[in-house]
Amino acid sequence: MRIAIVCYPTFGGSGVVATELGLELARRGHEIHFITYSQPVRLALLNPNVHYHEVNVPEYPLFHYQPYELALSSKLVDMVKLYKIEVLHVHYAIPHAYAGYMAKQMLKDEGIDIPMVTTLHGTDITLVGNHPFYKPAVTFSINKSDFVTSVSQSLKEDTLKLFNIKKEIQVIPNFIELDKIKKEDKSPCQRSVMANDEERIITHISNFRKVKRIPDIIAIFNKIQKEIPAKLMMVGEGPEKEKAEQLCRELGIQDKVIFFGNSNEIDTILCQTDLFLLPSKTESFGLVALEAMACGVPVISSNAGGLPEVNKDGFSGYLSEVGDVDGMAKNALKILKNQTDLDQFKKNALITALQFDIKKILPLYEDLYQRAIAKCF
């Protein structure tokens, strides 16, 4: 199949999922065309089946904000005609499904009927999409898609609750490429670079927005380090990072916390990690928690959004109510204090991650594409 993938080319979960999906589809022999405003961060153009097409937005003094949706829809039309693309897969309802629908309409005028699959990832629904300014456009874009998927049952339920959706929504969970992680695990982890032998390594990775509850992470770690030797690895950039650094200084634990900023060495960091913290107010799925578990790292998380679908309470880690810092710290210490318990949770985390191996999830998308193409042809 010839498939166009439209996504955000950033460190965020939706961009990572879309990129990894496209690369695996290409390895299976499909022709994949990424169409976005810059090259996705995890995109390797070493496969002849992988193509990248940049969306350029010309600047005109007439426009206060440059019309990306207009440029994207026009680019989609051109690429569909040039490469005879058979299906559009857009990640995020707005602006991508909105632009995809406009491209479909322009192509119909030229006798080309191309199906569009829209995958909902979370922010497009629960944050941006639910804003009164955007709600009509999101509802329209979803209902005009040929097929719609969501990355968790929780997100599907939120979508149906917040919008007047007439389309069936199929849950296809996010995934992890376990074979890739196993290859990278062949080299031994250099824990000594980050911590002493007796110290536990705890990690958090995010975009440091308020929804991630960064102060809770610092508070949980502070309670942990008072009982056992530990280091905290904070990976990512965002508006809450500076406040977190200040909080560490106020608590006198700045020498026990390392702020990395954005990193392309996530697997290396997780390889060294004993426990992952994700106390978010909400997560549509919790891809970063899955990435941690795929590296054999148990997770302490909130019981919010799609997280209970990923993190199995008492098995791969523990779930607590949002804001329950004391409970999360207590559960973390349950795992970390005893090496035997820690080893068992690490094994359980990997067992849980196996359920989300890309080899199990990819056929669901291939089947969806085939049904979409059959619908139009």
Side-chain angles (χ1 to χ4, degrees):
M1 289 180 281
R2 293 182 294 277
I3 305 159
I5 292 179
V6 182
C7 64
Y8 283 115
T10 58
F11 281 92
S14 67
V16 170
V17 167
T19 303
E20 297 293 349
L21 173 63
L23 293 175
E24 185 64 21
L25 286 165
R27 283 190 282 270
R28 289 194 177 210
H30 302 291
E31 184 179 310
I32 306 300
H33 296 262
F34 288 93
I35 303 174
T36 185
Y37 58 82
S38 66
Q39 184 172 322
V41 292
R42 294 198 185 183
L43 180 58
L45 297 171
L46 299 177
N47 187 315
N49 288 331
V50 176
H51 308 270
Y52 163 63
H53 311 288
E54 183 174 350
V55 179
N56 293 304
V57 185
E59 291 190 11
Y60 293 109
L62 174 65
F63 298 120
H64 184 66
Y65 299 105
Q66 304 308 316
Y68 177 64
E69 293 88 345
L70 180 61
L72 175 58
S73 59
S74 297
K75 187 73 173 184
L76 286 171
V77 168
D78 291 342
M79 296 302 100
V80 167
K81 292 194 294 184
L82 182 61
Y83 293 98
K84 294 180 171 54
I85 289 168
E86 298 171 277
V87 60
L88 300 178
H89 188 176
V90 300
H91 294 257
Y92 261 54
I94 53 172
H96 299 149
Y98 194 80
Y101 172 75
M102 295 307 299
K104 280 172 58 71
Q105 296 307 109
M106 287 187 276
L107 287 162
K108 275 186 179 179
D109 284 349
E110 300 189 37
I112 300 172
D113 190 7
I114 185 166
M116 180 174 71
V117 175
T118 296
T119 292
L120 310 175
H121 285 271
T123 306
D124 51 341
I125 298 302
T126 58
L127 184 61
V128 178
N130 196 37
H131 193 286
F133 288 165
Y134 299 114
K135 199 166 186 174
V138 172
T139 304
F140 177 85
S141 299
I142 294 173
N143 284 330
K144 290 298 182 179
S145 301
D146 295 285
F147 290 88
V148 183
T149 75
S150 71
V151 297
S152 69
Q153 180 64 30
S154 171
L155 179 59
K156 174 181 176 177
E157 292 170 2
D158 284 344
T159 304
L160 295 175
K161 180 173 65 178
L162 294 170
F163 303 92
N164 181 23
I165 300 304
K166 301 171 184 176
K167 285 284 181 179
E168 174 64 29
I169 300 176
Q170 180 179 348
V171 177
I172 301 182
N174 285 335
F175 50 80
I176 199 75
E177 193 176 350
L178 286 170
D179 285 347
K180 178 182 175 183
I181 292 174
K182 288 175 184 176
K183 288 178 185 177
E184 293 174 349
D185 277 351
K186 287 183 179 179
S187 57
C189 293
Q190 302 295 322
R191 282 179 57 92
S192 59
V193 176
M194 299 297 172
N196 298 326
D197 291 342
E198 73 277 7
E199 290 178 314
R200 300 300 194 194
I201 296 178
I202 300 160
T203 297
H204 171 78
I205 303 169
S206 77
N207 53 17
F208 284 67
R209 291 184 292 122
K210 281 191 175 182
V211 70
K212 304 298 180 181
R213 297 185 69 90
I214 302 300
D216 284 5
I217 295 163
I218 305 300
I220 294 165
F221 173 73
N222 189 38
K223 291 178 180 293
I224 293 170
Q225 64 86 32
K226 287 179 178 178
E227 296 204 28
I228 60 172
K231 285 283 183 69
L232 176 62
M233 311 292 146
M234 299 287 281
V235 185
E237 292 285 350
E240 295 292 298
K241 182 182 175 185
E242 188 175 332
K243 296 176 186 176
E245 292 172 322
Q246 177 61 31
L247 181 56
C248 289
R249 288 191 291 270
E250 291 173 1
L251 294 171
I253 58 174
Q254 66 271 18
D255 60 331
K256 298 181 180 181
V257 183
I258 300 174
F259 287 87
F260 286 90
N262 287 331
S263 174
N264 287 316
E265 299 187 56
I266 298 299
D267 292 337
T268 301
I269 294 169
L270 290 175
C271 171
Q272 302 163 357
T273 298
D274 295 304
L275 187 71
F276 192 84
L277 296 181
L278 194 63
S280 306
K281 181 179 179 181
T282 185
E283 292 281 347
S284 59
F285 178 83
L287 180 61
V288 69
L290 177 57
E291 290 181 330
M293 289 190 289
C295 293
V297 180
V299 175
I300 296 294
S301 74
S302 54
N303 186 21
L307 283 170
E309 299 174 45
V310 182
N311 185 21
K312 305 306 177 185
D313 189 45
F315 186 76
S316 61
Y318 286 105
L319 299 165
S320 297
E321 293 306 308
V322 174
D324 184 7
V325 169
D326 290 339
M328 291 184 190
K330 183 179 177 180
N331 287 334
L333 289 165
K334 278 185 192 177
I335 295 173
L336 294 171
K337 276 190 169 181
N338 184 284
Q339 186 63 47
T340 301
D341 291 339
L342 176 58
D343 290 342
Q344 186 60 56
F345 270 95
K346 283 177 173 282
K347 290 177 183 177
N348 294 347
L350 183 55
I351 290 170
T352 304
L354 287 170
Q355 302 172 27
F356 299 92
D357 187 7
I358 193 170
K359 292 178 181 176
K360 294 183 178 181
I361 307 301
L362 192 77
L364 301 177
Y365 278 114
E366 288 180 307
D367 175 68
L368 190 62
Y369 297 149
Q370 289 166 355
R371 286 190 283 131
I373 293 170
K375 179 180 178 182
C376 287
F377 297 95

